[in-house]
């Protein structure tokens, strides 16, 4: 389904894709996954930089795990509240969209049935959103996550990297002099929850050993380990592409829905 509604966070109509697997098809052996709408889980699936909302998890995986999927489009926002008017993408995915799904489809009602997963920019978004709203999201999966906070910190006007310029990163993350110290940084959110004695979402990370983002992923794994923040971290051969993410999906879905 493609669903459209008005977003007050973005101040315009938005659309998202959604699959509710209550019509499972039989596999080649004639086996049909059982559905249980009362206990159906809900996965918010986040796209990467330059992408848009679309289901990149096979419908069979969703049916097998009795899991609906919601695929929003957030432009190249890093799933954060930007500094411009009507760019509240974190509020959109973390609050407004969840509320709409709850009211309309009676899904995502409890954190044990509500998850995030994303790749690249969406992996950052999945981890950050779950840490920002742990009362909503019980688990998150980041695949080849674009954990670039420390790479863009202290950029100055007029500079750029191969992906984007200073102005873009400032729009997404705010003041780049303080970006490492604020809630846009998943590390800050995790330590804050830990200090407050609050339950953190369960975290699953995976990255290819040949991925250009492998070092930031290793750094967050090390940070979580040193601060005794429970998480799963997996490395496997692969680069930054759909082949690697597709290879990760079955294990990630098993972990989410166990």
């Amino acid at each position: 389904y493609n669903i459209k509604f008005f977003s007050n966070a973005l101040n315009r109509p938005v659309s998202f894709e959604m699959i509710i697997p209550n019509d499972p098809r039989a596999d080649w052996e004639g086996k049909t996954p059982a559905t249980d709408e009362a206990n159906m889980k809900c996965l918010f699936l986040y796209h990467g930089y330059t992408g848009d909302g679309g289901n990149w998890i096979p419908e069979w995986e969703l049916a097998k795990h009795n899991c609906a999927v919601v695929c929003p489009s957030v432009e190249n926002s890093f799933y954060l509240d930007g500094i411009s008017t009507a760019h509240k993408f974190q509020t959109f995915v973390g609050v407004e969209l969840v509320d709409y799904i709850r009211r309309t489809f009676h899904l995502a009602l409890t954190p044990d049935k509500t998850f995030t997963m994303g790749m690249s920019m969406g992996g950052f978004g999945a981890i950050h959103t779950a840490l920002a709203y742990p009362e909503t999201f019980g688990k998150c999966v980041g695949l080849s996550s674009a954990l670039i906070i420390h790479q863009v910190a202290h950029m100055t006007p007029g500079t750029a990297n191969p992906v984007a310029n200073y102005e873009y990163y400032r729009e997404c993350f705010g003041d780049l002099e303080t970006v490492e110290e604020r809630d846009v940084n998943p590390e800050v959110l995790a330590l804050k929850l830990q200090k407050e004695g609050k339950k953190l979402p369960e975290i699953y990370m995976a990255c290819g050993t040949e991925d250009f983002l492998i070092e930031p992923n290793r750094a967050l794994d090390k940070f979580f380990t040193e601060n005794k923040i429970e998480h799963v971290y997996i490395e496997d051969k692969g680069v930054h592409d759909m082949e690697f993410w597709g290879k990760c999906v079955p294990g990630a879905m098993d972990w989410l829905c166990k």
Side-chain angles (χ1 to χ4, degrees), residues 18-231:
M18 185 172 186
I19 293 174
I20 303 175
N22 56 3
D23 57 346
R25 68 191 69 182
D27 65 14
W28 293 110
E29 296 178 346
K31 297 177 182 177
T32 304
T35 59
D36 181 358
E37 292 183 46
N39 292 300
M40 186 170 287
K41 305 168 188 71
C42 188
L43 173 64
F44 290 80
L45 188 63
Y46 294 170
H47 66 80
Y49 184 77
T50 74
D52 62 2
N55 179 35
W56 45 273
I57 291 182
E59 290 187 39
W60 174 255
E61 283 286 341
L62 300 172
K64 180 174 72 174
H65 291 289
N66 194 41
C67 184
V69 65
V70 178
C71 308
S73 293
V74 301
E75 302 172 12
N76 294 327
S77 67
F78 267 85
Y79 299 81
L80 297 171
D81 285 348
I83 62 177
S84 301
T85 300
H87 278 198
K88 293 184 178 180
F89 290 96
Q90 176 181 320
T91 302
F92 168 60
V93 295
V95 179
E96 190 174 51
L97 180 59
V98 177
D99 287 345
Y100 182 84
I101 295 298
R102 287 171 172 172
R103 293 195 313 270
T104 309
F105 300 101
H106 307 290
L107 293 168
L109 300 177
T110 57
D112 62 304
K113 297 177 184 175
T114 311
F115 318 131
T116 60
M117 181 191 293
M119 46 81 163
S120 195
M121 182 189 79
F124 174 95
I127 294 170
H128 182 272
T129 303
L131 288 168
Y133 304 101
E135 71 285 353
T136 299
F137 303 100
K139 293 183 179 182
C140 60
V141 173
L143 305 178
S144 309
S145 301
L147 301 163
I148 63 169
I149 291 290
H150 299 297
Q151 284 67 47
V152 303
H154 311 298
M155 286 182 70
T156 55
T159 62
N161 62 28
V163 176
N165 61 12
Y166 165 87
E167 286 73 19
Y168 163 75
Y169 291 116
R170 176 167 170 75
E171 169 61 34
C172 292
F173 296 100
D175 180 15
L176 298 184
E177 282 299 310
T178 62
V179 68
E180 294 167 302
E181 306 161 12
R182 293 184 286 104
D183 284 358
V184 293
N185 185 351
E187 297 170 2
V188 171
L189 290 174
L191 289 183
K192 183 182 293 187
L193 292 175
Q194 187 182 61
K195 183 178 180 179
E196 294 173 352
K198 295 182 178 178
K199 181 178 174 58
L200 278 77
E202 296 181 46
I203 301 168
Y204 181 110
M205 300 165 56
C207 194
T209 50
E210 288 72 50
D211 195 311
F212 72 98
L213 290 170
I214 186 63
E215 293 306 327
N217 279 266
R218 287 173 174 167
L220 187 59
D221 167 49
K222 181 180 179 182
F223 175 87
F224 284 157
T225 299
E226 291 177 344
N227 288 280
K228 297 181 172 56
I229 294 170
E230 292 188 15
H231 67 292

Side-chain angles (χ1 to χ4, degrees), residues 236-251:
D236 199 359
K237 185 175 178 60
V239 297
H240 199 79
D241 63 7
M242 194 59 72
E243 181 179 352
F244 177 78
W245 303 323
K247 181 172 64 173
C248 290
V249 162

